[in-house]
Structure formats: C-alpha cells, structure tokens
C-alpha cells in the first residue's frame, strides 16, 4: 500500500488484512427485562473494525467487564452470517447490507484480554496474528477508538438514561431514573447504528488514492470493502462459524477416573467416554 500511497494504511493490504478491537463502558444505564423497575447497570460494548475500509465487522454488547470472554464474542461475531445474526434480534437485512463474515490475518488489541493465554487458541485455530498496543497508546488503535467518540453522538439524544458530564454532581438530576431500555432493545439500536456506519457514513479525512477517484468510490465503509476485495486483498477467509466459535472458547484440563470425568470438583460423563471405555481404562491403568 506504500505503492498506492495510502499513508496511515501502510500496515494493511486491503479488506480483512488487519482488524482493530476495543471496548468501552457505555454512558447509559439499562433495566432488567424480567423486571423493568430494576436497574442492572451499564453495559460494555466491544467493536471490531477493519483498518482498511472502516467496516465494523463484529460487535458484542453485554454486562461482562472487558475480558477475553467478551472479546471472544465480538471476534466470533466477525465470522457470523450477519443476515441470520440480525434476524435473531428482529431485524431483517440483505446480504449486501453487512457483507462481512470474515476473519482477519491480524488483530490489534490492548495489552489485556488479547495478551492472555486464551488468545493463543485463536492463533492455533485460525492462524490469526495477535498484536497489542503499548500502554497508554490508544492512538495506535485510533480507528476503533474514533468509533467510541462518534457513535455516542448519534444515539445520545435518543436514549433516556444517558449519563451527562455532570453525573453525580450535587443538585443535578439522577439520569439513572430516566433509563427505559433493556439489553436486547439496546442491542437492536446498536445494530441499526452499525448498519448506518457501514452503509451511509462518509469517512472524513480518509486517505484516498487516485484509483479510488477514477473508480468513483465514495469513502463509505461498505463501498471501500467491496472495492478493495477484488483489487487488493482477495476474498477474506470465511471459516465455519460454529467450528470457529468452538475454537475460541477457553480451554482447561480435566481428569478421567473410573467414577467419571472430574472437572472443578464435579463428575461428568459423555457418550464418547462410554463408547471408548475411558472409565474402564482409568480403573485398570489409573487416572489420566
């Protein structure tokens, strides 16, 4: 891309080359779906974004603190069929509205959840290179960081319970009392925001190349994604989603005994263990 003269994009070669991932605690309180009178806190939003096209390729909204489990869910969403994903949340889209069900060659994250041993499984499973930004260098992930500055400006006026800068200042309103959304309703809202970002948002200051102008490609994430695949990167890798999700899950060791498979103080069995005689083997030869 140095030949193409794309400046800050010289560390990626096209769509699917490098993703960036980051999380933030949203400045909005949500209520319980089971009891709307109960506040359950502020959710955490993970965003995975393509460096070249600025396409948001995966999201996760949940109540977990920033962790590998939450990051895993966002990364898994990258490979998910977005038509089926949106349908699960009551939103109908066409394939071209969110044409991303791919995994990258490189993921740039924080020195935290992406540095733990769980990330090693992703390297072995999908040959994805893990990179970590240095501490206090959020500018290394400026593309995904900018999403956390722009997205709140879009939804802030329309979400009751959004926390203003004077929150908890004596004499000010308690914004938590205005909260009306539950987690699923907020999830639906964010899917619409992602669709707006990917299909309608013109990227200000995008480092365009002459060829983009010749092809009359607007600086819109979906247009850059579809333009760059045949001309630069080729089709990004699209693994089997269920197998990819399984490979991302945390792994741990268990012990096979003659009484069952012991894991964290409990005994388990499964058809495979019975069929292959694991328990008989443990009785004759000892635990393993």
């Amino acid at each position: 891309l140095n030949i193409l003269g794309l400046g800050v994009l010289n560390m990626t070669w096209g769509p699917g080359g490098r993703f960036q991932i980051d999380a933030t605690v949203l400045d909005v309180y949500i209520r319980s779906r089971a009891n709307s009178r109960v506040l359950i806190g502020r959710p955490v939003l993970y965003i995975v974004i393509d460096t070249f096209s600025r396409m948001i390729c995966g999201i996760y909204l949940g109540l977990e603190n920033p962790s590998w489990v939450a990051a895993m869910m966002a990364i898994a969403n990258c490979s998910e069929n977005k038509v089926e994903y949106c349908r699960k949340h009551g939103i109908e889209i066409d394939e071209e509205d969110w044409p991303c069900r791919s995994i990258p060659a490189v993921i740039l994250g924080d020195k935290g959840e992406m540095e733990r041993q769980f990330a090693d499984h992703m390297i072995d499973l999908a040959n994805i290179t893990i990179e970590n930004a240095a501490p206090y260098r959020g500018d290394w992930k400026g593309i995904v960081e900018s999403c956390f500055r722009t997205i709140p400006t879009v939804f802030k006026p329309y979400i009751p319970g959004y926390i203003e800068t004077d929150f908890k200042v004596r004499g000010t309103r308690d914004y938590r009392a205005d909260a009306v959304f539950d987690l699923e309703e907020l999830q639906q809202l964010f899917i619409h925001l992602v669709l707006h970002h990917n299909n309608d948002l013109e990227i200000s200051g995008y480092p365009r190349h002459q060829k983009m102008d010749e092809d009359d490609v607007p600086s819109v994430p979906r247009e850059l994604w579809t333009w760059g695949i045949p001309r630069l990167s080729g089709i990004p890798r699209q693994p089997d989603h269920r197998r990819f999700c399984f490979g991302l899950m945390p792994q741990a060791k268990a012990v096979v005994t003659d009484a069952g498979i012991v894991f964290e103080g409990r005994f388990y069995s499964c058809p495979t263990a019975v069929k292959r005689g694991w328990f008989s083997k443990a009785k004759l030869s000892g635990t393993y």
Side-chain angles (χ1 to χ4, degrees):
L1 286 179
N2 284 328
I3 297 175
L4 293 178
L6 294 182
V8 299
L9 299 179
N10 62 359
M11 292 300 290
T12 187
W13 53 88
R18 174 179 272 102
F19 288 177
Q20 296 183 10
I21 182 172
D22 204 1
T24 188
V25 179
L26 294 177
D27 290 331
V28 60
Y29 277 86
I30 58 175
R31 295 186 177 274
S32 168
R33 295 190 70 183
N35 186 348
S36 61
R37 293 175 296 178
V38 177
L39 288 171
I40 59 175
R42 296 161 57 186
V44 171
L45 174 67
Y46 265 88
I47 289 180
V48 185
I49 193 169
D50 178 58
T51 301
F52 176 85
S53 65
R54 310 300 205 267
M55 168 86 76
I56 294 179
C57 302
I59 61 171
Y60 175 67
L61 187 70
L63 297 173
E64 300 90 347
N65 291 325
S67 63
W68 169 250
V69 172
M72 172 186 72
M73 298 294 289
I75 295 169
N77 184 239
C78 294
S79 69
E80 189 169 0
N81 185 311
K82 298 306 191 296
V83 175
E84 297 178 2
Y85 168 71
C86 292
R87 185 174 294 129
K88 288 190 300 186
H89 296 283
I91 300 171
E92 292 293 334
I93 66 170
D94 296 324
E95 186 75 32
E96 59 268 20
D97 293 331
W98 199 349
C100 176
R101 50 185 304 182
S102 313
I103 60 173
V106 181
I107 291 183
L108 175 62
D110 279 324
K111 291 179 70 68
E113 59 267 20
M114 298 300 290
E115 196 177 33
R116 298 181 183 274
Q117 69 272 20
F118 299 131
D120 295 338
H121 305 322
M122 186 163 57
I123 299 172
D124 298 334
L125 169 73
N127 194 28
I128 298 175
T129 300
I130 306 298
E131 295 181 344
N132 289 288
Y136 308 108
R137 293 306 304 266
D139 56 306
W140 289 15
K141 298 188 283 76
I143 293 173
V144 69
E145 294 278 357
S146 66
C147 282
F148 295 131
R149 292 193 298 269
T150 57
I151 286 180
T153 61
V154 176
F155 73 77
K156 176 180 175 180
Y158 308 104
I159 295 188
Y162 189 89
I163 300 173
E164 301 288 353
T165 55
D166 61 354
F167 181 57
K168 290 188 176 181
V169 175
R170 186 175 181 180
T172 58
R173 180 175 176 78
D174 188 352
Y175 301 104
R176 294 174 296 184
D178 299 329
V180 296
F181 284 105
D182 60 34
L183 188 61
E184 175 60 23
E185 292 169 338
L186 197 62
Q187 176 85 22
Q188 294 171 350
L189 175 64
F190 268 97
I191 290 175
H192 285 296
L193 289 174
V194 169
L195 293 173
H196 168 73
H197 171 93
N198 288 343
N199 293 279
D200 303 313
L201 182 65
E202 187 88 18
I203 304 298
S204 176
Y206 185 85
R208 297 176 58 83
H209 180 257
Q210 180 181 352
K211 188 63 177 176
M212 294 179 179
D213 295 328
E214 292 175 358
D215 293 341
D216 195 26
V217 181
S219 299
V220 175
R222 188 185 71 173
E223 301 295 334
L224 295 170
W225 175 274
T226 55
W227 179 86
I229 285 177
R231 292 167 177 79
L232 297 175
S233 63
I235 299 175
R237 292 179 295 162
Q238 298 179 348
D240 179 84
H241 177 63
R242 293 187 65 186
R243 185 180 295 272
F244 183 65
C245 290
F246 180 78
L248 291 174
M249 294 176 68
Q251 299 182 13
K253 291 184 178 182
V255 178
V256 179
T257 71
D258 61 342
I261 304 169
V262 183
F263 181 69
E264 295 188 351
R266 293 180 174 85
F267 289 80
Y268 297 87
S269 180
C270 65
T272 302
V274 175
K275 182 178 180 180
R276 298 185 180 180
W278 289 4
F279 307 135
S280 299
K281 178 182 176 182
K283 187 173 184 178
L284 295 173
S285 305
T287 60
Y288 61 96

